Amino acid sequence: MIESTVQTVINIIAGAVISYLFALYRAKKKENNALKAGLQALLRDRIIQAYNHYVQDKGWIPIYAKESIDACYRSYEALGDNGVIDNLMEQINELQNYPPKNRGDENA
């Protein structure tokens, strides 16, 4: 009788601990997914800003900026869901790393 009572108490405690650990795991997974999504959004925003600045406005990109954007892209790519960012990075990678010469500067 005492053994079955002890076994029942142990089963109840074990079930409670397992339930708690499972709930903790789900909460941490949800938090991790939110952090991942937030980091992806920040990296995507940074790449889009760089695209707008260097591809659309300047037409060239300094080496230090390209290396920084490449690092952002590698992290973004590792998190998954690349979408349109692949195309933007192709255009960024096609840029020269020095300012284009102005036609009026040929005599300088």
Side-chain angles (χ1 to χ4, degrees):
M1 180 71 148
I2 293 178
E3 285 183 24
S4 66
T5 305
V6 170
Q7 187 64 35
T8 302
V9 170
I10 290 173
N11 287 340
I12 291 171
I13 292 172
V17 168
I18 290 171
S19 295
Y20 172 76
L21 291 175
F22 185 70
L24 187 63
Y25 169 78
R26 286 187 358 187
K28 287 297 180 184
K29 185 172 179 166
K30 184 177 179 181
E31 179 183 4
N32 188 43
N33 288 342
L35 289 170
K36 177 183 169 186
L39 182 56
Q40 277 183 315
L42 290 171
L43 290 167
R44 181 175 38 254
D45 182 63
R46 178 65 191 109
I47 293 167
I48 291 169
Q49 284 181 13
Y51 171 84
N52 289 336
H53 181 70
Y54 293 111
V55 174
Q56 293 185 339
D57 297 341
K58 293 183 90 170
W60 69 283
I61 186 168
I63 293 172
Y64 71 88
K66 173 126 176 16
E67 289 174 350
S68 175
I69 296 307
D70 282 341
C72 287
Y73 178 68
R74 284 191 304 274
S75 295
Y76 180 81
E77 191 175 41
L79 292 170
D81 294 339
N82 297 335
V84 73
I85 297 301
D86 289 333
N87 182 270
L88 299 184
M89 283 305 298
E90 286 176 17
Q91 292 180 54
I92 289 171
N93 288 328
E94 291 173 359
L95 293 175
Q96 58 192 18
N97 62 356
Y98 51 87
K101 291 187 176 187
N102 293 332
R103 294 181 188 209
D105 293 345
E106 293 173 357
N107 297 329

